Amino acid sequence: MLSLTVLLLMTLNPVLTNNLTQEIDVLVFLPKNNSFLFSQARVAPAIRYAQHALTAQFPNFHFSLQLQDSDSVNQAVFALADRSCERKPDLILGPVREYEAAAVVRLASHWNIPVVSAGALAVAFRNKDSEYSHLTRIAPSYMKMAEVFSAMFERFSWRSALLLIEDDMKERDCYFTLEAVYHVMDDYTVKSLTFSEEEPLRSDEILQNIRDTEVVIMCAGADRIREIMLAAHKQQLTNGSYIFFNVDLFNASSYGNGSWKRGDEHDDDARQAYASLNTVTLLRTVKPEYRNFSIEIKKSTDRLGLRDCSDCGNVNMFVEGFHDAMLLYAVALHEAMKNGYSKKNGTEITSHMWNITFEGIAGQVSMDINGDRNGDFSLMAMTNVEAGSYEVVANYFGVNKTFQLMSAFDSKRFMIKGRHEANPELPQ
Amino acid sequence: MLSLTVLLLMTLNPVLTNNLTQEIDVLVFLPKNNSFLFSQARVAPAIRYAQHALTAQFPNFHFSLQLQDSDSVNQAVFALADRSCERKPDLILGPVREYEAAAVVRLASHWNIPVVSAGALAVAFRNKDSEYSHLTRIAPSYMKMAEVFSAMFERFSWRSALLLIEDDMKERDCYFTLEAVYHVMDDYTVKSLTFSEEEPLRSDEILQNIRDTEVVIMCAGADRIREIMLAAHKQQLTNGSYIFFNVDLFNASSYGNGSWKRGDEHDDDARQAYASLNTVTLLRTVKPEYRNFSIEIKKSTDRLGLRDCSDCGNVNMFVEGFHDAMLLYAVALHEAMKNGYSKKNGTEITSHMWNITFEGIAGQVSMDINGDRNGDFSLMAMTNVEAGSYEVVANYFGVNKTFQLMSAFDSKRFMIKGRHEANPELPQ
């Protein structure tokens, strides 16, 4: 029955053979503004790198890229509508930011255009049944990150969490990040406190709420995290009775053993306070091809004077993601065409991007059945309090939901001091 | 200089004379769902009535109407984008609801298409400098209604207000209505309390807040208003020390002398409580042409079994507004064409709809310099407490910001009992 359908379609679409050149229009929504880690100047070189690499594997695919600034929802929607009235693009890459992505993905889904983004990470986008049907997320969403916490809560028998969220009311990265944690923590007692960047730290309220919980999960700027940790340390809350986390997904170079250090009189207290702080971040891999890619991309951005960090060898998740988006789309288009469908069948092409595993630039990329990338994360902790230095103590692999414990892992670190005595019914 | 420009344009556009037929595509965004006062079945007859009436005045204007369901933001935006890819409409009528209107007006403004709506009443739409540049509001916005309050506050030397808002988190009519009051009351002390339809009345909190204020302004369903008034009455807060208002813009037939009455054991208390309640509503006019129009429209809706009220002679503000939208657009198009512009020049046509006064179906319509209709409102109060019957005690005319006091007006009603003694410095 299937083969008959395929045959029929191939007869109806006789031009769709793999030997004919396919002109593929790619509309790329990325901001020109270089204050974003996913600006055009940073990400476009990676897309072109992929475009070049694909010529060997798919010589008949000719990608033409059109870069579109996406600095506001209106700009993005108007561009898509204007552009699509003449000729609809075959593929949309981006937008990254939630509000632009929501508007663009809705219209693109309505028009049967596949969208692949290394952003659109918020919880809402997992609903692919209706308005986000054509969205494939090539970077691990906030929900995937949140799984790390639910897995730890189960493993270590924690019961309650306090979410501390710095919300800028613009990008809202931290809000959307911890919103996902809130979503996956149905089985636990979870409270949240939100504050703005500008307002002074509401220490009393925060410390009181910490006292009422076991695990504190923070998403905030580095200075605010330090301020909270110092306040907690002053009140002896960093003595092991509470477990602290911060989430640091994008600024992969800005956290780590230096984040407590400011060269001020609080450095020593901060170092001791950070001994209780664990950081959840993206797992970074280092296969040889990735090195070459990374060096090439850095050359491009260096030429533009965009040195994001002097000491980091890796490009960021967005750069990597949009590269892999091109690979994934090419494979899916190839599969769809083999089955007799044209490049205009966005639903069909999208379905071939979901529920598969492929070799991305940094390592294996596993897409779940819902078109969202499974995420691998690292857990970092201070392993030398004297030096104040950090190490990865565990990795979490989303595809099989397992932890890999490193030699530096110390399970005592994740036991809540004094709790088991008070709650003898809990597993030891 | 002006005449030269006009001459030049007329030479460039030689076809644009008033004698040639103009095919005018009108895309009408109204919901099919008859639970809305502005459903297609209710409003379309009024648009057709205007269309018919215009053939005499502008025989060369041929309007063709396309009705588009607008039950969700996505549906509205997709329809506009799809439709406009083939051929852009010349005029958009609607949408009414804020979220649909925001999305449609943005895209229409970008495409230089005039939009006239009897909705889009929220504060945000007054910003015509950027994304809502092509929006003309043919019904008085919430800001215009709010002027009535700021005018009363000034006249009666009130100083503080409590806004009680029932927010359904869907249409959000009450939220948007009192948001406007909040905006115009910069010079006064204003607090607001929001509650949902479902939650039980938070009497203690509400009564405490009433005690801290002078004027209570409510927007809520009729039952909730009654509940609040009964609670206030029980605590002797309806003795003249506080002045109560509710806002009733659309259900012009459902308020009035019956609204305290439920046929239950609280009717007597409610009647006494409502003696302290004043209602701000739209001023209704009764010129002879309006009677004919109203009868015609009611015939159409009666045929569909849509009897909105058995005792009311008037159609609602949306029906009237969309009728007048057609008149206003036709006059503006005529003006623009006289000046040598085509029907595709949305900016020019829009400018001719602003800052003018014309004769609408119910009376004079005055559009302000910002393209928003000036509003006329009535203030109703219980003038016979024994009978529990209401009368209009004052009218407010937005165009010159004046009150007209009716014979039933009693200034004592608007004096806050006991306040002037405590504040001798205030004008008596």
Side-chain angles (χ1 to χ4, degrees):
Chain A
M1 199 55 191
L2 178 71
S3 55
L4 182 67
T5 316
V6 171
L7 192 68
L8 190 68
L9 281 160
M10 291 192 71
T11 317
L12 288 172
N13 299 296
V15 296
L16 300 175
T17 78
N18 281 330
N19 299 320
L20 285 177
T21 297
Q22 289 291 318
E23 295 293 343
I24 301 154
D25 281 334
V26 185
L27 182 56
V28 184
F29 284 102
L30 292 170
K32 286 206 165 110
N33 182 340
N34 277 321
S35 70
F36 296 107
L37 286 173
F38 41 85
S39 69
Q40 290 185 3
R42 289 193 176 84
V43 174
I47 296 174
R48 292 205 189 90
Y49 187 100
Q51 183 184 12
H52 183 75
L54 284 168
T55 53
Q57 198 183 347
F58 301 106
N60 58 328
F61 287 175
H62 285 192
F63 291 95
S64 71
L65 304 177
Q66 189 187 325
L67 292 172
Q68 170 61 48
D69 194 7
S70 74
D71 213 9
S72 78
V73 176
N74 283 350
Q75 193 180 40
V77 170
F78 296 165
L80 176 57
D82 287 345
R83 160 75 200 256
S84 298
C85 278
E86 287 164 43
R87 193 168 59 157
K88 292 193 173 61
D90 303 308
L91 167 65
I92 291 170
L93 297 180
V96 166
R97 298 198 298 176
E98 325 299 325
Y99 294 107
E100 279 96 1
V104 165
V105 174
R106 282 185 198 121
L107 198 51
S109 297
H110 171 67
W111 280 336
N112 200 15
I113 305 168
V115 183
V116 187
S117 180
L121 302 175
V123 172
F125 292 102
R126 75 182 157 161
N127 297 319
K128 308 280 180 79
D129 290 340
S130 56
E131 54 184 6
Y132 304 124
S133 58
H134 283 56
L135 174 64
T136 300
R137 298 195 285 180
I138 192 69
S141 72
Y142 297 133
M143 280 293 266
K144 299 295 184 185
M145 183 281 300
E147 275 179 21
V148 182
F149 285 103
S150 61
M152 283 192 288
F153 266 69
E154 201 185 326
R155 184 180 190 106
F156 300 118
S157 302
W158 302 330
R159 295 165 308 184
S160 61
L162 172 67
L163 311 182
L164 297 179
I165 307 167
E166 190 169 74
D167 189 355
D168 66 358
M169 297 302 287
K170 281 184 296 194
E171 311 303 322
R172 311 197 72 184
D173 284 339
C174 273
Y175 171 82
F176 288 124
T177 301
L178 293 196
E179 175 203 28
V181 174
Y182 192 86
H183 266 266
V184 301
M185 302 278 278
D186 272 356
D187 298 340
Y188 306 94
T189 308
V190 184
K191 281 210 291 189
S192 68
L193 272 184
T194 304
F195 39 83
S196 83
E197 241 172 313
E198 288 84 29
E199 68 178 306
L201 187 69
R202 307 194 312 255
S203 306
D204 289 350
E205 191 185 357
I206 287 174
L207 295 175
Q208 186 50 54
N209 277 285
I210 292 176
R211 281 195 192 88
D212 296 343
T213 195
E214 294 174 345
V215 178
V216 182
I217 304 172
M218 301 180 276
C219 186
D223 287 343
R224 184 48 65 96
I225 297 278
R226 188 170 183 262
E227 218 181 333
I228 295 170
M229 290 308 296
L230 281 171
H233 189 63
K234 209 169 168 185
Q235 301 279 319
Q236 280 100 46
L237 303 180
T238 53
N239 63 355
S241 304
Y242 307 93
I243 298 177
F244 292 85
F245 288 94
N246 72 323
V247 177
D248 195 341
L249 293 180
F250 309 133
N251 294 320
S253 64
S254 68
Y255 69 86
N257 62 17
S259 69
W260 49 266
K261 202 176 221 160
R262 295 290 184 283
D264 63 15
E265 73 272 29
H266 304 300
D267 266 1
D268 204 49
D269 284 341
R271 184 176 47 76
Q272 291 174 43
Y274 276 50
S276 299
L277 179 64
N278 310 285
T279 300
V280 170
T281 183
L282 289 166
L283 172 63
R284 308 303 299 187
T285 52
V286 282
K287 73 173 191 177
E289 297 90 318
Y290 186 67
R291 279 264 173 264
N292 300 336
F293 167 72
S294 201
I295 290 164
E296 281 302 310
I297 302 305
K298 286 201 165 287
K299 272 188 205 158
S300 306
T301 47
D302 283 357
R303 270 198 296 274
L304 296 165
L306 296 173
R307 286 196 72 84
D308 292 325
C309 53
S310 50
D311 57 343
C312 58
N314 297 334
V315 297
N316 70 53
M317 151 185 125
F318 302 108
V319 173
E320 180 187 319
F322 281 108
H323 172 280
D324 290 354
M326 289 287 284
L327 304 193
L328 178 58
Y329 173 80
V331 169
L333 174 61
H334 178 75
E335 285 299 311
M337 289 178 65
K338 255 186 15 195
N339 293 345
Y341 297 99
S342 90
K343 65 172 186 172
K344 287 297 172 199
N345 194 326
T347 309
E348 181 67 19
I349 295 165
T350 299
S351 75
H352 288 285
M353 293 196 276
W354 296 11
N355 200 21
I356 66 161
T357 296
F358 70 103
E359 201 57 34
I361 192 70
Q364 210 166 59
V365 176
S366 151
M367 305 298 299
D368 76 7
I369 200 168
N370 194 41
D372 296 334
R373 181 178 179 166
N374 285 309
D376 299 331
F377 299 89
S378 292
L379 185 58
M380 302 192 74
M382 194 183 280
T383 48
N384 182 336
V385 182
E386 288 305 302
S389 61
Y390 277 76
E391 271 177 280
V392 172
V393 298
N395 290 318
Y396 175 83
F397 298 99
V399 67
N400 49 16
K401 301 186 191 304
T402 53
F403 282 103
Q404 172 194 32
L405 304 183
M406 312 303 275
S407 58
F409 181 83
D410 176 4
S411 66
K412 281 204 292 288
R413 188 180 180 90
F414 299 102
M415 298 296 178
I416 294 162
K417 207 164 111 183
R419 202 198 73 178
H420 287 164
E421 292 75 3
N423 300 282
E425 79 282 6
L426 284 170
Q428 300 293 308
Chain B
M1 200 52 193
L2 179 71
S3 55
L4 181 66
T5 316
V6 171
L7 191 68
L8 189 67
L9 283 160
M10 290 191 72
T11 318
L12 289 171
N13 298 296
V15 295
L16 299 175
T17 79
N18 282 331
N19 299 321
L20 286 177
T21 297
Q22 289 291 318
E23 295 295 342
I24 301 154
D25 280 334
V26 185
L27 183 55
V28 183
F29 283 102
L30 292 170
K32 285 206 166 107
N33 182 341
N34 276 322
S35 70
F36 296 107
L37 286 173
F38 42 86
S39 69
Q40 289 185 4
R42 289 193 176 82
V43 174
I47 296 174
R48 292 205 190 89
Y49 188 100
Q51 183 183 11
H52 183 76
L54 285 168
T55 52
Q57 198 184 347
F58 301 106
N60 58 328
F61 287 176
H62 286 192
F63 290 95
S64 71
L65 304 178
Q66 190 187 324
L67 292 173
Q68 170 61 47
D69 194 7
S70 74
D71 212 9
S72 79
V73 176
N74 284 350
Q75 192 180 41
V77 170
F78 297 164
L80 176 57
D82 287 345
R83 161 74 199 256
S84 298
C85 277
E86 289 164 43
R87 192 169 59 159
K88 291 193 173 61
D90 303 309
L91 166 65
I92 291 169
L93 297 180
V96 167
R97 298 196 299 176
E98 324 301 324
Y99 294 107
E100 278 96 5
V104 165
V105 174
R106 282 184 198 123
L107 198 51
S109 298
H110 170 67
W111 280 336
N112 199 14
I113 305 168
V115 183
V116 187
S117 181
L121 303 174
V123 173
F125 293 102
R126 76 182 157 160
N127 297 319
K128 308 280 179 79
D129 291 340
S130 54
E131 52 183 8
Y132 304 124
S133 58
H134 284 55
L135 174 65
T136 300
R137 298 195 285 179
I138 193 70
S141 72
Y142 298 133
M143 280 293 266
K144 300 294 185 186
M145 183 281 299
E147 276 179 20
V148 183
F149 285 103
S150 60
M152 283 192 289
F153 266 69
E154 200 184 328
R155 184 177 189 107
F156 300 119
S157 304
W158 302 331
R159 294 166 308 185
S160 61
L162 171 67
L163 311 181
L164 296 179
I165 307 167
E166 189 169 73
D167 189 356
D168 66 357
M169 296 303 286
K170 280 184 296 194
E171 311 304 320
R172 311 196 73 182
D173 285 339
C174 274
Y175 171 82
F176 288 125
T177 301
L178 293 197
E179 175 204 28
V181 174
Y182 192 87
H183 265 266
V184 301
M185 301 278 278
D186 272 356
D187 298 341
Y188 306 94
T189 307
V190 184
K191 279 210 292 189
S192 70
L193 271 184
T194 303
F195 39 82
S196 84
E197 241 173 311
E198 290 85 28
E199 70 178 304
L201 188 68
R202 308 195 309 258
S203 306
D204 289 350
E205 191 186 359
I206 288 174
L207 295 174
Q208 185 50 55
N209 276 285
I210 291 176
R211 283 196 190 87
D212 296 343
T213 195
E214 293 175 344
V215 178
V216 181
I217 304 172
M218 299 180 278
C219 186
D223 287 344
R224 184 50 64 96
I225 297 279
R226 188 170 183 261
E227 219 182 332
I228 294 170
M229 290 307 297
L230 281 170
H233 189 62
K234 208 169 168 185
Q235 300 279 319
Q236 281 100 46
L237 303 181
T238 54
N239 63 355
S241 303
Y242 306 93
I243 298 177
F244 292 84
F245 287 94
N246 72 321
V247 177
D248 195 343
L249 292 181
F250 309 133
N251 295 318
S253 64
S254 68
Y255 68 87
N257 61 18
S259 68
W260 51 265
K261 204 177 222 161
R262 294 289 184 284
D264 63 16
E265 73 271 29
H266 304 300
D267 266 2
D268 205 51
D269 283 341
R271 183 176 48 74
Q272 291 173 44
Y274 276 51
S276 299
L277 179 64
N278 310 285
T279 300
V280 170
T281 184
L282 287 166
L283 172 63
R284 308 303 298 187
T285 53
V286 283
K287 74 174 190 177
E289 297 91 317
Y290 186 67
R291 278 263 173 265
N292 300 336
F293 167 71
S294 200
I295 290 165
E296 280 301 310
I297 301 305
K298 284 197 167 292
K299 272 188 207 160
S300 306
T301 47
D302 284 356
R303 271 197 295 275
L304 296 166
L306 297 173
R307 285 195 72 84
D308 292 327
C309 54
S310 51
D311 58 341
C312 60
N314 297 334
V315 297
N316 70 52
M317 149 186 127
F318 301 107
V319 172
E320 179 187 320
F322 281 108
H323 172 279
D324 289 353
M326 288 287 284
L327 304 192
L328 177 57
Y329 174 80
V331 169
L333 174 61
H334 178 76
E335 285 300 309
M337 289 179 65
K338 255 185 17 195
N339 293 345
Y341 297 98
S342 92
K343 65 172 184 171
K344 287 296 171 199
N345 194 326
T347 309
E348 182 67 19
I349 295 165
T350 299
S351 75
H352 287 286
M353 294 195 275
W354 296 11
N355 199 21
I356 66 162
T357 296
F358 70 103
E359 201 57 33
I361 192 70
Q364 211 167 59
V365 176
S366 151
M367 305 297 300
D368 76 8
I369 200 168
N370 195 40
D372 296 334
R373 181 178 177 165
N374 285 309
D376 299 331
F377 299 89
S378 291
L379 185 58
M380 303 193 72
M382 194 183 280
T383 48
N384 182 336
V385 181
E386 288 305 303
S389 61
Y390 278 76
E391 271 177 282
V392 172
V393 298
N395 290 317
Y396 175 84
F397 298 100
V399 67
N400 49 16
K401 301 185 191 304
T402 54
F403 282 103
Q404 171 194 32
L405 304 183
M406 312 304 274
S407 59
F409 181 83
D410 176 3
S411 66
K412 281 205 289 292
R413 186 179 181 89
F414 299 101
M415 297 296 180
I416 293 163
K417 208 165 110 182
R419 201 197 76 178
H420 288 163
E421 293 75 2
N423 301 283
E425 79 280 7
L426 284 170
Q428 300 292 310

